[in-house]
Amino acid sequence: MARNQEQNDKIRKERKEQIRAEALRQFATQGLFATRIADIAAGVGMAQGLLYHYYPSKDMIFVDLIDDALDKLNKASLYVKDMQASAREKILFALQELLKTIETSEQFSDTCRLIAQATNSTAIPEDAQQLIEEKRDIPYEAIATVMAAGQREGSVIAGDPRMLAILFWTSVNGLAIYYSTRKDAGEMPDYRILAKMFLRDKVFGEEE
Amino acid sequence: MARNQEQNDKIRKERKEQIRAEALRQFATQGLFATRIADIAAGVGMAQGLLYHYYPSKDMIFVDLIDDALDKLNKASLYVKDMQASAREKILFALQELLKTIETSEQFSDTCRLIAQATNSTAIPEDAQQLIEEKRDIPYEAIATVMAAGQREGSVIAGDPRMLAILFWTSVNGLAIYYSTRKDAGEMPDYRILAKMFLRDKVFGEEE
DNA sequence: GTCTATATCCAGATAGAC
DNA sequence: GTCTATCTGGATATAGAC
């Protein structure tokens, strides 16, 4: 009977992951309130009632996804901050990776959109609001640290490093929203144009 | 009796404007679906039933506001495009004005947020979707025209002008969202940092 | 674990009195 | 023009059979 236990656990975990994936897609594209629990269940291919064996409520799915989304973003931010490289290289690397990921990963775009949906509405579950309150500043702080280091090394322009970090993230975020909401978006801009905002010296090799 | 007619029209117009203002605030901060028609009516200080003498449905209020928001943005964009000034000056002026307006005008922030809410969800009324489809590209085209002129005059970096326009608007939009969703936002960044992305030559007077 | 059927609630919209 | 009271539909969540 211990064998069945294991199998059940595995099924349970897989099912939960299916629900999460489907809910992420729908929440990101439609928003929390416009997404019906029946649609998520239908998307997964399970009965509506069954979904409640995995999550106690629609809100809880949302909170779970928000928590996950914030953690992923924070982890990536801290990775960049703690890289072995110059500040200049970190900024260029981060922008290049972010833009590439926005372009190629549907799931990453959805994650950005989910966070946008959540931060842009006061009508989300209180738990989700608290998570955002706690965790949303970490990427800003990480990049601000890099900017300050860049100022010391002479590669980054003068100004409040936190302000530069805000410009960094709001620009990336704006792009992410733009590209995830247009099918006809075309290709991504060159990441070096964004980098040009923050760096004192030339970022383009041949041209300019 | 013609006198009463006039007065009624005036009351009617004022009332409608009150509803619009309240709905804009609530749609922008909560989203279409989380906003209840009862709350809008309460915010205006009228009975729920009375609201239906001014608008046939919640969706129609939303569509009306979206239409208005897009028109305002487009008008401002075309104003900048047709200014009597160099492309470089137009870019600097536009960014300066946009950032100042985001900072000072609650209503402008709400307008940006409303558009963000609308473009970021597929679950909005079809009429609204069509309006967005029709009108949202105008600001991009206007700024792209300015960017192309700037390239000819030698002040703007190389690259697809439409791409530069996308960077222009997504950056501004990201900032607008950021500042409208934080009470503790602090002051706006220097608009010249954003301008630095697009301009070949120095944008800061003394420093750098 | 999975489904169908159902209870419950709530928001949008309407009717009708004043 | 304004209000109160009500209808109606639809979505969340639950109950109970298999």
Side-chain angles (χ1 to χ4, degrees):
Chain A
M1 247 14 187
R3 179 65 171 278
N4 278 332
Q5 181 73 27
E6 265 178 49
Q7 288 185 328
N8 282 346
D9 278 7
K10 199 183 160 212
I11 288 175
R12 201 180 162 72
K13 212 181 147 197
E14 282 173 1
R15 278 303 218 184
K16 204 159 177 176
E17 188 47 44
Q18 288 179 318
I19 294 169
R20 289 163 55 85
E22 182 64 27
L24 172 61
R25 259 201 29 229
Q26 295 203 24
F27 285 150
T29 51
Q30 305 175 355
L32 169 61
F33 293 92
T35 300
R36 288 166 307 184
I37 209 89
D39 292 339
I40 298 174
V44 177
M46 67 169 56
Q48 183 175 343
L50 182 54
L51 197 144
Y52 285 90
H53 279 67
Y54 296 94
Y55 279 100
S57 71
K58 188 170 85 162
D59 279 7
M60 280 302 167
I61 308 177
F62 188 78
V63 172
D64 196 11
L65 289 173
I66 286 289
D67 193 33
D68 213 51
L70 290 167
D71 283 347
K72 274 182 190 148
L73 220 62
N74 291 346
K75 200 179 149 198
S77 303
L78 296 175
Y79 172 77
V80 168
K81 190 188 77 168
D82 297 329
M83 274 173 69
Q84 282 298 330
S86 68
R88 180 192 158 90
E89 283 166 344
K90 286 178 186 175
I91 291 168
L92 287 165
F93 172 82
L95 287 172
Q96 187 173 22
E97 287 300 310
L98 283 166
L99 265 53
K100 197 197 303 170
T101 312
I102 291 169
E103 195 176 14
T104 56
S105 165
E106 188 101 10
Q107 202 188 326
F108 182 73
S109 291
D110 283 345
T111 299
C112 288
R113 252 177 113 169
L114 183 78
I115 294 180
Q117 299 265 14
T119 53
N120 200 16
S121 170
T122 59
I124 56 169
E126 203 175 334
D127 295 6
Q129 244 161 346
Q130 261 182 306
L131 283 171
I132 289 171
E133 191 77 25
E134 285 170 33
K135 299 185 173 179
R136 77 169 156 192
D137 282 333
I138 293 171
Y140 290 91
E141 286 163 11
I143 294 297
T145 303
V146 174
M147 292 291 179
Q151 289 173 336
R152 284 193 300 276
E153 82 185 20
S155 61
V156 168
I157 63 168
D160 180 358
R162 285 173 305 167
M163 192 117 287
L164 297 178
I166 289 172
L167 281 166
F168 179 98
W169 281 116
T170 56
S171 299
V172 169
N173 193 44
L175 264 181
I177 301 293
Y178 180 91
Y179 277 87
S180 65
T181 54
R182 308 220 179 192
K183 326 105 197 89
D184 63 322
E187 59 185 86
M188 271 285 150
D190 191 321
Y191 68 94
R192 291 172 297 180
I193 303 179
L194 280 175
K196 193 168 175 299
M197 255 195 287
F198 311 111
L199 300 176
R200 296 175 68 92
D201 29 323
K202 299 193 194 319
V203 287
F204 294 98
E206 317 82 272
E207 323 138 279
E208 171 144 334
Chain B
M1 241 24 181
R3 178 63 172 279
N4 278 331
Q5 181 74 25
E6 265 179 49
Q7 287 185 331
N8 281 347
D9 278 6
K10 198 183 162 211
I11 289 176
R12 200 179 162 75
K13 212 180 149 200
E14 281 172 3
R15 279 301 218 186
K16 206 160 177 177
E17 188 46 45
Q18 287 179 319
I19 294 170
R20 290 164 53 86
E22 183 64 27
L24 172 62
R25 258 200 32 225
Q26 295 203 24
F27 285 150
T29 52
Q30 304 175 353
L32 170 61
F33 294 91
T35 300
R36 288 167 307 187
I37 208 91
D39 291 339
I40 298 174
V44 176
M46 67 170 54
Q48 182 174 345
L50 182 53
L51 197 143
Y52 286 89
H53 279 67
Y54 297 93
Y55 278 100
S57 71
K58 188 169 87 161
D59 279 7
M60 280 303 168
I61 307 176
F62 187 78
V63 172
D64 196 12
L65 289 173
I66 287 289
D67 193 34
D68 213 53
L70 290 167
D71 283 346
K72 275 183 190 150
L73 220 60
N74 291 347
K75 199 179 152 200
S77 304
L78 296 176
Y79 172 77
V80 168
K81 191 189 76 166
D82 296 330
M83 274 172 69
Q84 281 298 330
S86 67
R88 180 191 158 90
E89 283 165 344
K90 286 178 187 175
I91 292 168
L92 287 166
F93 172 81
L95 288 172
Q96 186 173 24
E97 287 300 310
L98 283 166
L99 268 53
K100 196 198 302 172
T101 312
I102 291 169
E103 195 176 15
T104 54
S105 165
E106 188 100 10
Q107 203 190 325
F108 182 74
S109 291
D110 283 345
T111 299
C112 288
R113 253 176 113 169
L114 183 79
I115 294 179
Q117 299 265 13
T119 52
N120 199 17
S121 170
T122 59
I124 57 168
E126 203 175 334
D127 295 7
Q129 245 161 344
Q130 260 183 306
L131 283 171
I132 290 171
E133 192 77 26
E134 285 171 32
K135 299 187 174 180
R136 77 170 156 191
D137 283 332
I138 294 170
Y140 290 91
E141 286 162 13
I143 294 297
T145 303
V146 174
M147 292 291 178
Q151 289 172 337
R152 283 193 300 276
E153 82 184 20
S155 60
V156 168
I157 63 168
D160 182 357
R162 284 172 308 165
M163 191 118 290
L164 297 178
I166 289 171
L167 281 166
F168 179 98
W169 281 116
T170 55
S171 299
V172 169
N173 193 42
L175 263 182
I177 302 293
Y178 181 91
Y179 277 87
S180 64
T181 54
R182 308 219 178 194
K183 325 108 198 87
D184 62 324
E187 60 184 89
M188 271 284 151
D190 191 322
Y191 69 94
R192 291 172 297 179
I193 303 179
L194 280 174
K196 194 168 174 299
M197 257 195 287
F198 311 110
L199 299 178
R200 298 175 68 92
D201 30 321
K202 300 193 192 320
V203 286
F204 294 99
E206 318 81 275
E207 325 139 277
E208 168 145 337

